[in-house]
Amino acid sequence: MDDLVTARCIVPMATNPNHHCVPGPCDPDDLIDGIIFAANYLGSTQLLSDKTPSKNIRMMQAQEAVSRIKEPEGDPQPMTEVDLFISTQRIKVLNADSQETMMDHPLRTISYIADIGNIVVLMARRRMPRTDSEENVETSEPSQDSKRQYKMICHVFESEDAQLIAQSIGQAFSVAYQEFLRANGINPEDLSQKEYSDLLNTQDMYNDDLIHFSKSENCKNVFIEKAKGEILGVVIVESGWGSILPTVIIANMMHAGPAERSGRLNIGDQIMSINGTSLVGLPLSTCQSIIKGLKNQSHVKLNIVRCPPVTTVLIRRPDLRYQLGFSVQNGIICSLMRGGIAERGGVRVGHRIIEINSQSVVATPHEKIVHILSSAVGEIHMKTMPAAMYRLLTAQEQPVYI
């Protein structure tokens, strides 16, 4: 996050000695669980912004957002009473009466914070897609990146605790960063943010997944013909949280079914779209419904990325100070730390670990897998596959074709 527009800091008495020197009005432990402020939501607006505006321009942008949303003095002001939930993970806006979620932003998406009197402005930034004419203009300029414009989405709130809200969000970023370091086995006193960032910058992201997905020979359009009323004849499973493109994977094919008859699909292929409908980011149940909806069609077009059923993982762990950043239960990866060395190495939630450093762990007890991983340093090579696919391939489950 960029620095705050206002920076009035209070140093609290932190109850957890691990959270050293985290200035702000809140106990850092409370920010991990989440705190709530009462506020009135006045509205939202969008502004255009350069990539790196100065502090003065940021404040002007915040004031512009307020002038657009706030009615003149004396005029009735539309507003909604809300609870503003702030934690080290996210900022949520809940309707104070119904407790329904009105907004839910991961903390990392908040770019700037401004408090102006009793007004708080939260600003999130996203880059605008460029038109052809904009691209032509930019290529003629010496500094292309500085000329690009972004949409700044500004949410405006009113609260007696405006200053505390702004300070608390800034403090949440600091606590979240320290928690991130600790989760990766780093003592914030021993390793600066720059040092850890420098380490991550030396590591390839997603263990060459980016290269694999970008090669045209791996991306295929597959056309399948079938009889109306005939199912496609596949079993699909999730690719796993942590995938570069979260979608579904072909885990099994019905013998002599349309998918197998085509001869163009393999177990492990990732489906990007079906008949022009993207499956990327959709829940498994939604993807299954889309495929079931093909039953009465005779022509099906799949856009796939050719992938082996087994995922190769390469984690680079300099020493034992760096925790791997994922948890395992009975050989299955249960959780993953965003942005850590494991995610960069290609670890995916929901995958079964097949091998660690060329050693099969299929029949290895949980405690031994944990010991192998916790003591490994240097390059850690693993092979994994979606746990649901593993159960199908080992006949632990019977396939249900769609």
Side-chain angles (χ1 to χ4, degrees):
M1 179 192 147
D2 299 298
D3 39 77
L4 302 180
V5 172
T6 58
R8 309 180 189 90
C9 294
I10 303 169
V11 180
M13 297 296 291
T15 58
N16 187 339
N18 287 332
H19 298 121
H20 63 92
C21 302
V22 183
C26 305
D27 187 309
D29 290 332
D30 292 338
L31 284 170
I32 293 173
D33 296 329
I35 58 174
I36 291 177
F37 288 96
N40 291 317
Y41 170 62
L42 305 187
S44 302
T45 187
Q46 292 189 110
L47 302 172
L48 292 181
S49 174
D50 293 332
K51 182 181 180 181
T52 55
S54 67
K55 189 172 181 179
N56 288 337
I57 290 177
R58 291 172 189 164
M59 179 57 80
M60 290 172 61
Q61 290 170 337
Q63 291 169 334
E64 169 68 15
V66 173
S67 69
R68 291 186 186 184
I69 298 296
K70 202 168 187 324
E71 296 293 336
E73 197 70 36
D75 289 354
Q77 174 68 55
M79 63 177 66
T80 304
E81 291 186 7
V82 297
D83 290 333
L84 194 59
F85 174 85
I86 300 168
S87 76
T88 54
Q89 294 294 320
R90 60 202 327 102
I91 295 177
K92 292 177 71 173
V93 181
L94 308 171
N95 184 292
D97 294 327
S98 67
Q99 288 299 293
E100 291 183 359
T101 300
M102 298 169 57
M103 304 175 204
D104 188 354
H105 294 296
L107 186 67
R108 65 181 181 274
T109 65
I110 304 299
S111 296
Y112 316 129
I113 311 162
D115 64 278
I116 306 168
N118 66 344
I119 299 294
V120 177
V121 184
L122 302 184
M123 295 184 271
R125 184 181 65 192
R126 60 190 176 118
R127 205 180 93 189
M128 296 173 58
R130 290 177 290 166
T131 64
D132 292 340
S133 61
E134 287 175 325
E135 290 199 17
N136 290 336
V137 170
E138 287 187 1
T139 54
S140 64
E141 295 293 332
S143 179
Q144 297 180 23
D145 197 52
S146 63
K147 300 299 181 183
R148 294 175 185 165
Q149 289 221 301
Y150 294 75
K151 277 185 181 177
M152 187 76 72
I153 304 172
C154 307
H155 304 300
V156 181
F157 301 88
E158 182 182 67
S159 174
E160 294 178 355
D161 296 320
Q163 292 182 19
L164 287 177
I165 290 171
Q167 293 170 14
S168 299
I169 295 173
Q171 185 185 11
F173 273 94
S174 298
V175 176
Y177 174 68
Q178 291 198 356
E179 287 297 300
F180 170 80
L181 291 183
R182 286 192 187 87
N184 285 275
I186 304 163
N187 186 337
E189 294 180 337
D190 296 338
L191 200 64
S192 71
Q193 180 172 355
K194 182 178 184 303
E195 287 174 317
Y196 190 68
S197 297
D198 287 347
L199 169 73
L200 292 179
N201 288 337
T202 66
Q203 301 192 358
D204 294 330
M205 192 64 171
Y206 297 112
N207 190 27
D208 294 332
D209 271 7
L210 281 169
I211 297 173
H212 182 85
F213 275 69
S214 64
K215 286 184 177 179
S216 58
E217 60 265 30
N218 296 325
C219 304
K220 306 287 184 182
N221 284 323
V222 175
F223 298 89
I224 298 176
E225 295 186 1
K226 66 181 189 66
K228 288 187 177 181
E230 190 179 22
I231 64 173
L232 190 61
V234 296
V235 178
I236 57 171
V237 298
E238 293 176 312
S239 58
W241 189 85
S243 306
I244 181 174
L245 286 175
T247 183
V248 292
I249 296 175
I250 297 176
N252 207 316
M253 289 187 285
M254 184 173 69
H255 177 62
E260 187 183 71
R261 286 200 312 263
S262 73
R264 298 185 180 94
L265 294 174
N266 298 313
I267 292 176
D269 288 348
Q270 297 198 24
I271 307 176
M272 299 292 109
S273 67
I274 297 178
N275 288 346
T277 299
S278 174
L279 303 190
V280 176
L282 297 182
L284 176 63
S285 59
T286 303
C287 297
Q288 290 170 331
S289 296
I290 291 172
I291 293 176
K292 290 176 182 178
L294 303 172
K295 189 172 182 180
N296 291 321
Q297 298 185 29
S298 56
H299 302 280
V300 179
K301 176 186 175 183
L302 304 179
N303 178 257
I304 66 162
V305 176
R306 190 77 72 201
C307 297
V310 174
T311 299
T312 301
V313 175
L314 173 57
I315 304 172
R316 294 182 174 91
R317 186 187 195 188
D319 56 57
L320 293 177
R321 290 187 306 154
Y322 296 79
Q323 289 185 12
L324 294 174
F326 69 95
S327 61
V328 177
Q329 185 64 45
N330 295 323
I332 298 174
I333 297 160
C334 304
S335 62
L336 176 65
M337 172 64 68
R338 264 297 189 201
I341 57 175
E343 186 191 28
R344 285 181 177 264
V347 169
R348 299 175 184 178
V349 173
H351 274 221
R352 171 71 184 248
I353 302 175
I354 308 300
E355 288 184 5
I356 302 174
N357 289 335
S358 300
Q359 175 185 349
S360 173
V361 293
V362 167
T364 303
H366 168 74
E367 293 76 13
K368 187 171 182 181
I369 292 176
V370 172
H371 175 73
I372 293 171
L373 290 171
S374 61
S375 59
V377 294
E379 290 193 348
I380 305 170
H381 297 261
M382 296 198 307
K383 290 185 178 180
T384 72
M385 70 165 57
M389 181 188 292
Y390 175 80
R391 291 192 295 270
L392 287 168
L393 294 177
T394 54
Q396 297 178 42
E397 290 183 1
Q398 294 301 309
V400 178
Y401 298 107
I402 55 176

